[in-house]
Amino acid sequence: MGEALTVQPLSREAFAPFGNVLETDGAELRMINEGTTERFHALARAELIADGAAIISIFRGQPRAFPYSVTMMERHPLGSQAFFPLDNRPWLVIAAEDEEGRPGRPQAFLADGRQGVNYRANVWHHPLMALGQTSSFLVVDRDGEGVNLEEWSYPAPYVIAAATG
Amino acid sequence: MGEALTVQPLSREAFAPFGNVLETDGAELRMINEGTTERFHALARAELIADGAAIISIFRGQPRAFPYSVTMMERHPLGSQAFFPLDNRPWLVIAAEDEEGRPGRPQAFLADGRQGVNYRANVWHHPLMALGQTSSFLVVDRDGEGVNLEEWSYPAPYVIAAATG
């Protein structure tokens, strides 16, 4: 089967080694537009390395089945990548610290339907993990010249029994 | 009262003078993540003028009451500004062509709950117009040095009778 991974709730503190959590709780709030709009300011900043542009895309991901085997990770050396759920549905975030050019043990986080993340450039993470139903996400990442994708397959899988931990 | 404005449905064609419509219909589609994810690629590109960074924020806007008087417009000379609704609720987009440094007659568009827009840099637009209930939007715009806000008050208001036109 493979080594079991537990799932922890997504929080700024727990996710800090990997990037930002995009959520209103705890964010800097500015009132704008004559008091009609709350601006939760700069939850994340797009990183663009070696030029390139920040682009906005929509990802539509199929739901994953459990138990789920984490067999590989990827990273984007030239830019950050942000995901925000558009269906108010929980989803799974999986990231790992780098260990001499390879991903270490994955860490799995359950995001609620109002939480996004921004992976910093070169942070190992698992491809999009929607839950329950096909779900859409707004994505902000880098477009430009250069090789911006690296993948790594683990010698043995890690297994997530269920999305709720 | 002021001159009446009609509301038209938001579409790529109608909005082309002002920027991009962020929607999956008609977008370039790439299959990624071993076929588990559809990527609707590069619906918009963040414009960053005079340096600065692309940042991700959340705006929470109060709903507007109708009839609504459009009395002013604003623009951001140094960067684009994208809005995407997070509550799957229709909202109003109002933009205007520039006429010798001032906004011309406003054009109002009804966006559905799965349509966002990206105003190009220096495009006149109205502050966020949520409808019905307080609604949240993911926003991608520019942070950095320089004056990135210009406002203009119309000598006489334009009036939108209802959000549905």
Side-chain angles (χ1 to χ4, degrees), chain A residues 8 21 42-43 45 54 121 127 150 164:
Chain A
Q8 58 178 311
V21 175
L43 304 174
R45 195 166 289 269
E150 190 178 346
T164 49

Side-chain angles (χ1 to χ4, degrees), chain A residues 22-24 29-48 53-64 72 74 81-82 84-88 114 118 127-128 134-136 138-144, chain B residues 22-24 29-48 53-64 72 74 81-82 84-88 114 118 127-128 134-136 138-144:
Chain A
L22 312 178
E23 61 181 342
T24 55
L29 172 58
R30 300 178 179 181
M31 292 305 300
I32 61 171
N33 298 343
E34 298 186 325
T36 63
T37 306
E38 298 164 285
R39 179 181 178 126
F40 299 92
H41 181 69
L43 304 174
R45 195 166 289 269
E47 287 176 278
L48 303 173
I55 57 170
I56 302 171
S57 302
I58 292 175
F59 282 20
R60 195 154 60 194
Q62 295 169 17
R64 306 291 183 153
M72 61 80 69
E74 63 180 33
Q81 187 174 44
F84 201 94
L86 300 179
D87 296 298
N88 201 359
R114 304 298 276 187
N118 186 45
L128 182 62
T134 296
S135 305
S136 294
L138 205 70
V139 175
V140 180
D141 60 5
R142 176 191 177 276
D143 195 23
Chain B
L22 312 178
E23 62 181 343
T24 56
L29 172 58
R30 301 179 180 180
M31 293 305 301
I32 61 170
N33 298 344
E34 300 187 323
T36 62
T37 305
E38 297 165 285
R39 178 180 178 127
F40 299 92
H41 181 68
L43 304 174
R45 195 166 290 268
E47 287 176 278
L48 303 173
I55 57 171
I56 303 171
S57 302
I58 292 175
F59 282 19
R60 197 155 59 192
Q62 294 168 17
R64 306 290 184 154
M72 60 80 67
E74 65 179 32
Q81 188 174 43
F84 201 95
L86 300 179
D87 296 300
N88 201 359
R114 304 296 277 186
N118 186 46
L128 182 62
T134 297
S135 306
S136 295
L138 205 70
V139 174
V140 179
D141 61 5
R142 176 192 177 276
D143 195 22

Side-chain angles (χ1 to χ4, degrees), chain B residues 2-19:
Chain B
E3 190 181 336
L5 283 187
T6 54
V7 177
Q8 58 178 310
L10 180 67
S11 69
R12 281 203 175 83
E13 296 67 27
F15 195 69
F18 310 114

